């Protein structure tokens, strides 16, 4: 083998090593996947697209994640952590603030919110971390209900928290499908859409009526 061939062989090996040996690759994959979902939605994501985004081989991705579902499971966990922190707010946040935060996150991060409550990860029991962070979301709301009305027993507080969560999730889900209609002047807005807009605007009144 001539010197030039040896140099070319070494260069090829260096390129391959760069593609396969990557510092903190799992974290980089997760960040890339989260950002991809944020911009494009989870349905458009593939392991190959994330590999290209991270400038590594598809084989390198499969060393960390067996399937797309396994990667999406970690994105869901990361999404719930971000969601929970945002909803929790600062130490002075009350139930009304947290409900406002919930809607703000849902509308500003539509693709992530869609993923959190999607069927993209079917076998939840395989991913206990998801159950843990999802439960934390409800606990944040439940604790805010108990703080708002300390006379409630556990069952009553839980029922009210479920009512509030159902309302928030419903408004978030419906509104995302009505973006164009919601931007119309009230006089041109269909009555069902106008009702959704009114419900969102009167969030505080809805919560107060539950107590």
């Amino acid at each position: 083998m001539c010197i030039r061939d040896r140099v070319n062989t070494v260069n090829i090996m260096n390129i391959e090593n760069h593609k396969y040996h990557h510092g903190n690759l799992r974290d980089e994959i997760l960040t890339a996947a989260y950002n991809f979902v944020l911009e494009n939605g989870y349905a458009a994501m593939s392991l190959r697209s994330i590999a290209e985004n991270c400038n590594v081989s598809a084989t390198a991705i499969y060393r960390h994640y067996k399937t797309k579902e396994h990667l999406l499971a970690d994105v869901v966990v990361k999404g719930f952590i971000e969601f929970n922190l945002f909803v929790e707010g600062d130490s002075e946040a009350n139930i009304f603030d947290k409900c406002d935060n919930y809607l703000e996150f849902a509308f500003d991060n539509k693709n992530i919110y869609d993923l959190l409550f999607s069927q993209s990860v079917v076998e939840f029991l395989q991913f206990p971390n998801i159950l843990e962070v999802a439960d934390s979301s409800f606990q944040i709301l439940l604790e805010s209900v108990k703080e708002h009305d300390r006379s409630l027993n556990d069952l009553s507080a839980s029922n009210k928290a479920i009512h509030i969560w159902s309302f928030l999730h419903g408004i978030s889900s419906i509104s995302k499908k009505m973006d164009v209609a919601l931007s119309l002047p009230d006089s041109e807005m269909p009555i069902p859409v106008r009702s959704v807009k009114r419900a969102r605007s009167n969030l505080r009144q809805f919560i107060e009526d539950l107590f």
Side-chain angles (χ1 to χ4, degrees), residues 171 182 189-202:
I171 292 296
L182 284 167
M189 194 177 293
I191 293 176
V193 179
R194 199 181 310 159
S195 298
V196 170
K197 182 179 180 181
R198 189 181 302 117
R200 181 181 173 188
S201 300
N202 295 321

Side-chain angles (χ1 to χ4, degrees), residues 78-136:
K78 179 176 174 61
F80 265 118
I81 291 171
E82 298 290 337
F83 176 64
N84 293 347
L85 287 172
F86 194 89
V87 172
E88 186 75 63
D90 59 36
S91 59
E92 301 298 319
N94 58 33
I95 189 171
F96 305 110
D97 298 323
K98 292 176 183 180
C99 289
D100 281 334
N101 291 346
Y102 184 112
L103 291 180
E104 184 177 346
F105 184 97
F107 288 116
D108 289 349
N109 305 273
K110 295 178 182 178
N111 289 329
I112 294 296
Y113 185 84
D114 282 345
L115 173 63
L116 300 187
F117 298 99
S118 73
Q119 295 296 314
S120 61
V121 180
V122 179
E123 299 295 337
F124 265 63
L125 294 180
Q126 291 185 23
F127 308 101
N129 287 349
I130 293 180
L131 298 175
E132 182 179 345
V133 291
D135 181 67
S136 294

Side-chain angles (χ1 to χ4, degrees), residues 9-211:
T9 300
V10 171
N11 286 340
I12 291 172
M13 290 176 62
N14 285 339
I15 291 172
E16 291 301 314
N17 284 337
H18 174 70
K19 291 180 70 175
Y20 284 92
H21 300 286
H22 203 288
N24 299 318
L25 178 55
R26 187 181 181 90
D27 290 342
E28 185 173 339
I29 293 169
L30 177 56
T31 298
Y34 184 91
N35 291 336
F36 185 96
V37 172
L38 182 64
E39 294 297 322
N40 306 289
Y42 67 88
M45 194 198 84
S46 68
L47 294 184
R48 187 170 296 279
S49 66
I50 301 304
E52 292 174 357
N53 189 288
C54 295
N55 194 32
V56 297
S57 69
T59 303
I61 297 285
Y62 284 108
R63 289 177 180 176
H64 295 279
Y65 293 100
K66 296 179 182 179
T67 65
K68 175 181 175 178
E69 184 180 36
H70 283 79
L71 177 52
L72 281 175
D74 273 5
V75 176
V76 170
V77 171
K78 179 176 174 61
F80 265 118
I81 291 171
E82 298 290 337
F83 176 64
N84 293 347
L85 287 172
F86 194 89
V87 172
E88 186 75 63
D90 59 36
S91 59
E92 301 298 319
N94 58 33
I95 189 171
F96 305 110
D97 298 323
K98 292 176 183 180
C99 289
D100 281 334
N101 291 346
Y102 184 112
L103 291 180
E104 184 177 346
F105 184 97
F107 288 116
D108 289 349
N109 305 273
K110 295 178 182 178
N111 289 329
I112 294 296
Y113 185 84
D114 282 345
L115 173 63
L116 300 187
F117 298 99
S118 73
Q119 295 296 314
S120 61
V121 180
V122 179
E123 299 295 337
F124 265 63
L125 294 180
Q126 291 185 23
F127 308 101
N129 287 349
I130 293 180
L131 298 175
E132 182 179 345
V133 291
D135 181 67
S136 294
S137 293
F138 183 73
Q139 290 301 320
I140 290 170
L141 189 56
L142 178 59
E143 290 305 315
S144 67
V145 167
K146 291 180 177 180
E147 290 173 8
H148 184 74
D149 187 346
R150 298 181 183 279
S151 68
L152 296 173
N153 59 37
D154 288 345
L155 179 59
S156 295
S158 180
N159 287 339
K160 291 184 185 300
I162 290 172
H163 273 89
I164 294 172
W165 177 81
S166 299
F167 176 79
L168 294 174
H169 184 64
I171 292 296
S172 300
S173 300
I174 294 172
S175 296
K176 288 198 295 292
K177 295 175 173 59
M178 298 181 172
D179 280 348
V180 175
L182 284 167
S183 66
L184 295 172
D186 284 352
S187 59
E188 301 176 19
M189 194 177 293
I191 293 176
V193 179
R194 199 181 310 159
S195 298
V196 170
K197 182 179 180 181
R198 189 181 302 117
R200 181 181 173 188
S201 300
N202 295 321
L203 173 63
R204 186 184 186 95
Q205 185 61 53
F206 172 84
I207 295 172
E208 287 178 342
D209 288 347
L210 285 177
F211 292 91

